[in-house]
Amino acid sequence: MTSSPASLAVSARLALAGRDVVRVGFGAARLTAGDGWGRPVDPERSRALVRAARDAGVDYFDTADALGPGVSETIIGETLGDADDVLVATKVGMLRAGPRTWDVLGHPNYLRQQVYSSLLRLRRERIDLLYLHRIDPAYPLADQLGALQDLRDQGLIARLGVSEPTAAQLDEVLALEPRLAAVQSLYNLVARDNAVIARTLDERGIPFVAYWPLIGRGLSHERHARLFAALAPIAADLDVSTAELALAWIFTTLPNGLAVVGSRSTRHLAGNVAASGVRLPVDALARIDDVVARELAGVRFDPSEPREDA
C-alpha cells in the first residue's frame, strides 16, 4: 500500500529557551577535524558551512566546549559572533583528556571556568542556552546546577538545560531547577529508550532535543546503509529523502521535540530544514517500525560505532 503524501500539519518551529526556532538545529560536531576532536584542515570551509546553515533558515546552533575541545565553539564565534537573530547553545561538564576520551567532570569550579571559556570562544556576553553536558555522580547535583544557576543570576547564561539525564536524575533536576529550558538526549529510529523522558517533558511543556537523529553513531556503516536503503521506498512514496523521513519520524512522534543535525554538506541543509514541518501519516509510521524491526533484528545499538552525526 502506498502511503498518503506527508503533510505540513505540524509546526516547523517551536519555542526553545525563550526563542522561536526551526525544529532542526545545526549540530556542530562536524566543525572539528573529525569525531569531535581537532581543528579542521580548512577552517574557512567550516565557517562557510555555518553561514550556509544560517542562509538555509537554521536559527539554532548547538555545540559544546568538549568538541575540539573548544574548536567548534571558536568557529561558531568567528562566524556568528554576538548575532541576536540566532540561538546558540553550548554544553559544559565533560573533560577531553585525549582524542578518544570523553570523561565527565562536574566540579563546580570547573563548570564555572568552562562557561567563561565558552563565552570567550563564542564571542558572546551571554550564552542563550547552557546545558550541563552530563551529570557527574562524584559531586552533588545541587552543587553542579548551583554553579550554573549562579552564573545565570549574574547574567552570563540566559537559560539552563541538561543532557542525558536518567528518569530519576530528571526528577532531581526538576526539583532543583523548575525553570529547566530543555533536555537534550539520544533519540532516533533505532534508539528510542528516551521516549519515556520525552513524554515526561511534554507533560511539563519542556522541549526535548534529540541528538544523533540520523543514527550518527550506534550502527556500523554497512548496517546503517542497509537500514536507510530499506527505508527508501517509504521515503519515495512521501516524496522526501530518507534523511528527511528519519527527521520527520522524530517530529511526528515527539510533538514538543527538536533535533540537532550535523552536516559537512551544504546541499543537505535545506532538506533538513524542510523536514521540520513534515508530519508522517499513521501507515508510514507502521511501515517504518516494520523495517526497523526486520533490519535490526538481533542487532545491538552501540554508541562506540565510529559514525558521526550531531
Side-chain angles (χ1 to χ4, degrees):
M1 177 184 296
T2 299
S3 298
S4 57
S7 71
L8 298 181
V10 293
S11 172
R13 306 182 70 84
L14 280 179
L16 178 65
R19 308 281 288 272
D20 180 59
V21 299
V22 173
R23 295 178 77 176
V24 175
F26 181 87
R30 291 186 175 183
L31 299 180
T32 66
D35 204 23
W37 183 269
R39 190 165 178 82
V41 174
D42 184 0
E44 179 50 34
R45 183 176 180 184
S46 294
R47 289 188 286 268
L49 187 61
V50 173
R51 290 191 292 269
R54 191 178 184 183
D55 291 343
V58 175
D59 50 12
Y60 163 35
F61 291 81
D62 189 279
T63 184
D65 71 340
L67 296 174
V71 170
S72 176
E73 288 183 329
T74 297
I75 289 172
I76 287 176
E78 291 170 346
T79 310
L80 299 178
D82 206 20
D84 61 5
D85 61 339
V86 295
L87 185 154
V88 175
T90 193
K91 309 172 194 73
V92 297
M94 297 196 79
L95 180 67
R96 301 300 306 275
R100 288 171 293 278
T101 303
W102 298 80
D103 291 326
V104 179
L105 181 55
H107 189 294
N109 280 344
Y110 178 73
L111 298 178
R112 293 186 184 96
Q113 170 189 288
Q114 295 311 95
V115 170
Y116 281 110
S117 297
S118 292
L119 285 165
L120 291 173
R121 288 189 289 260
L122 291 170
R123 302 187 183 187
R124 290 182 164 251
E125 296 181 358
R126 183 175 68 172
I127 295 170
D128 298 326
L129 174 57
L130 190 283
Y131 290 97
L132 180 59
H133 206 159
R134 294 292 187 273
I135 295 171
D136 187 347
Y139 300 93
L141 178 58
D143 292 350
Q144 296 173 66
L145 285 177
L148 303 180
Q149 289 166 330
D150 287 345
L151 294 174
R152 180 185 60 193
D153 293 345
Q154 295 173 36
L156 300 179
I157 299 168
R159 305 292 178 95
L160 290 175
V162 65
S163 181
E164 279 295 347
T166 64
Q169 288 173 332
L170 179 60
D171 288 341
E172 189 178 359
V173 168
L174 290 170
L176 293 166
E177 179 46 61
R179 293 186 285 164
L180 190 71
V183 169
Q184 183 173 145
S185 292
L186 172 64
Y187 185 72
N188 58 46
L189 286 168
V190 177
R192 305 185 182 191
D193 290 349
N194 279 318
V196 176
I197 297 287
R199 284 194 292 270
T200 299
L201 295 170
D202 192 46
E203 292 169 359
R204 293 175 173 264
I206 300 171
F208 178 95
V209 182
Y211 71 81
W212 296 353
L214 302 181
I215 320 174
R217 300 183 76 96
L219 296 179
S220 67
H221 285 271
E222 295 77 11
R223 184 72 65 172
H224 187 278
R226 280 181 51 184
L227 174 61
F228 272 59
L231 291 170
I234 306 174
D237 285 345
L238 298 171
D239 197 26
V240 297
S241 70
T242 50
E244 290 168 15
L245 183 78
L247 289 173
W249 180 87
I250 290 175
F251 303 136
T252 304
T253 58
L254 299 182
N256 203 30
L258 303 93
V260 290
V261 189
S263 178
R264 288 196 177 98
S265 169
T266 56
R267 66 187 179 88
H268 293 156
L269 295 171
N272 293 342
V273 172
S276 63
V278 174
R279 181 181 181 87
L280 299 178
V282 173
D283 62 321
L285 294 174
R287 292 175 68 193
I288 289 169
D289 287 347
D290 288 345
V291 167
V292 171
R294 181 179 70 247
E295 293 295 327
L296 299 182
V299 175
R300 185 174 66 90
F301 182 88
D302 181 3
S304 68
E305 284 288 354
R307 285 179 49 81
E308 179 187 320
D309 180 49

